[in-house]
Amino acid sequence: MRTKLAAGNWKMNGTRASLEQLERIAAVAGNGPSEVLICPPATLIHAAAEVAGPVGIGGQDCHAAGSGAHTGDISAEMLKDAGASYVILGHSERRADHGESDALVRTKCRMAWSAGLKAVVCVGETLEQYEHSNTLDIIGGQLAGSIPDEATGHNLVVAYEPVWAIGTGKVPTVNEIGDVHDFIRARLERRFGAGVGRSVRLLYGGSVKASNATEIFHTSNVDGALVGGASLKADDFVPIIEALNASND
Ligand code: PGA
């Protein structure tokens, strides 16, 4: 059985005042069978970890090198030291804004693992690729290129996030989400064997909110969600956690 995961990505949002939202999320996070994760900006990781209770804390990126002359960057070891247990890697905003390639994401993933962090590796097609029916080709290439050979169900989570669904209010149909998640599952089983392939959790991300969470969580091979905007406020995120808990029944 894969433990379901409700993950929040705060992106470049949040100051110390936002920790009150995390405390409210933490107050309910232990009530159900799902795991809950919040990835605040790096400046808040240490303080967030102190009030997170049962909520895991993650970074949103790490550098591919372990240390050195990389002004402004943050290493996997630093995230771990600050209290993180996860790191998001290869988010489409990193791929687009910072030109991150699959090969770079793979190197970062190895670095995260060597620091003892679990990696949430993001894949997803652009609107143009979706409209040209290239989704599965793109996802297959990103999976092959971004995930190192040492993946296990313990150190890896894959998030499918269609770029055109992020922050737009647009969401693929549940059939489309199911088709992509089934494809990702099959690719992982083919590459890593059935045991590992079946144990890696697959999250859907892109405009998940309370109103669409239940149907998404009942979709084939969806083990949870990576949530941006609707994770910033407890009032929005808690119902998503509850929908995920209910999907276990
Ligand atoms: P969104 O972002 O929920 O605001 O669409 C999801 C993400 O980018 O992880």
Coordinates of all heavy atoms in Angstrom, one line a residue, residues 9 11 91 93 161 165-168 205-208 226-230, ligand 1:
N9 N 3.0 23.4 -2.1 CA 4.2 24.1 -2.6 C 3.9 25.6 -2.5 O 3.1 26.1 -3.3 CB 4.4 23.7 -4.1 CG 5.5 24.5 -4.8 OD1 6.2 25.3 -4.1 ND2 5.6 24.4 -6.1
K11 N 5.8 28.1 -3.1 CA 6.5 28.9 -4.1 C 7.1 30.1 -3.4 O 7.6 30.0 -2.3 CB 5.6 29.2 -5.3 CG 4.9 28.0 -5.8 CD 4.2 28.2 -7.1 CE 3.5 26.9 -7.6 NZ 2.9 27.0 -8.9
H91 N 10.6 21.3 -10.9 CA 9.3 22.0 -11.1 C 9.3 22.8 -12.4 O 10.4 23.3 -12.8 CB 9.0 22.9 -9.9 CG 7.6 23.5 -9.9 ND1 7.2 24.5 -10.7 CD2 6.5 23.1 -9.2 CE1 5.9 24.7 -10.6 NE2 5.5 23.9 -9.7
E93 N 8.4 25.6 -13.1 CA 8.8 27.0 -13.0 C 10.4 27.1 -12.9 O 11.0 28.0 -13.4 CB 8.2 27.6 -11.8 CG 6.7 27.9 -12.1 CD 5.8 27.9 -10.9 OE1 6.2 27.9 -9.8 OE2 4.5 27.8 -11.1
E161 N 2.6 17.4 -13.4 CA 2.0 18.7 -13.4 C 2.0 19.3 -14.8 O 3.0 19.8 -15.3 CB 2.8 19.6 -12.5 CG 2.9 19.2 -11.1 CD 3.1 20.4 -10.1 OE1 4.1 21.1 -10.4 OE2 2.3 20.6 -9.2
A165 N -1.8 23.7 -16.7 CA -2.8 23.6 -15.6 C -2.3 24.3 -14.3 O -3.1 24.4 -13.4 CB -3.1 22.1 -15.3
I166 N -1.1 24.7 -14.3 CA -0.5 25.3 -13.1 C -1.0 26.7 -12.9 O -0.7 27.6 -13.8 CB 1.0 25.2 -13.0 CG1 1.4 23.7 -13.0 CG2 1.6 26.0 -11.9 CD1 2.9 23.5 -13.1
G167 N -1.7 27.0 -11.9 CA -2.1 28.4 -11.6 C -3.1 29.0 -12.5 O -3.3 30.2 -12.6
T168 N -3.7 28.1 -13.4 CA -4.6 28.7 -14.4 C -6.1 28.4 -14.2 O -6.9 28.9 -14.8 CB -4.2 28.0 -15.8 OG1 -4.4 26.6 -15.6 CG2 -2.8 28.3 -16.2
G205 N -0.6 17.5 -10.0 CA -0.5 18.9 -9.6 C -1.0 19.8 -10.7 O -0.8 19.5 -11.9
G206 N -1.6 20.9 -10.4 CA -2.1 21.9 -11.3 C -3.5 22.2 -11.0 O -4.4 21.4 -11.4
S207 N -3.7 23.3 -10.4 CA -5.1 23.9 -10.0 C -5.9 22.9 -9.2 O -7.1 22.8 -9.4 CB -5.8 24.3 -11.3 OG -5.1 25.4 -12.0
V208 N -5.3 22.1 -8.4 CA -6.0 21.3 -7.4 C -6.7 22.2 -6.4 O -6.0 23.1 -5.8 CB -5.2 20.2 -6.7 CG1 -6.0 19.4 -5.7 CG2 -4.6 19.3 -7.8
L226 N 0.2 17.6 -5.5 CA 1.1 18.7 -5.3 C 0.3 20.0 -5.5 O -0.1 20.3 -6.7 CB 2.3 18.6 -6.2 CG 3.4 19.7 -6.0 CD1 3.9 19.8 -4.5 CD2 4.6 19.4 -6.9
V227 N 0.1 20.8 -4.5 CA -0.9 21.9 -4.5 C -0.1 23.2 -4.3 O 0.6 23.4 -3.4 CB -1.9 21.7 -3.4 CG1 -3.0 22.8 -3.5 CG2 -2.6 20.4 -3.5
G228 N -0.3 24.2 -5.3 CA 0.3 25.5 -5.1 C -0.6 26.4 -4.4 O -0.7 26.4 -3.2
G229 N -1.4 27.2 -5.2 CA -2.2 28.3 -4.6 C -3.1 27.9 -3.4 O -3.2 28.6 -2.4
A230 N -3.7 26.7 -3.6 CA -4.6 26.3 -2.5 C -3.9 25.7 -1.3 O -4.6 25.1 -0.4 CB -5.6 25.3 -3.1
Ligands
PGA1 P1 -1.3 25.4 -8.5 O1 0.3 25.0 -8.5 O2 -1.9 24.4 -7.5 O3 -1.3 26.8 -8.0 O4 -1.8 25.3 -9.9 C1 0.7 23.7 -8.5 C2 2.2 23.6 -8.6 O5 2.8 24.3 -9.3 O6 2.9 22.8 -7.8

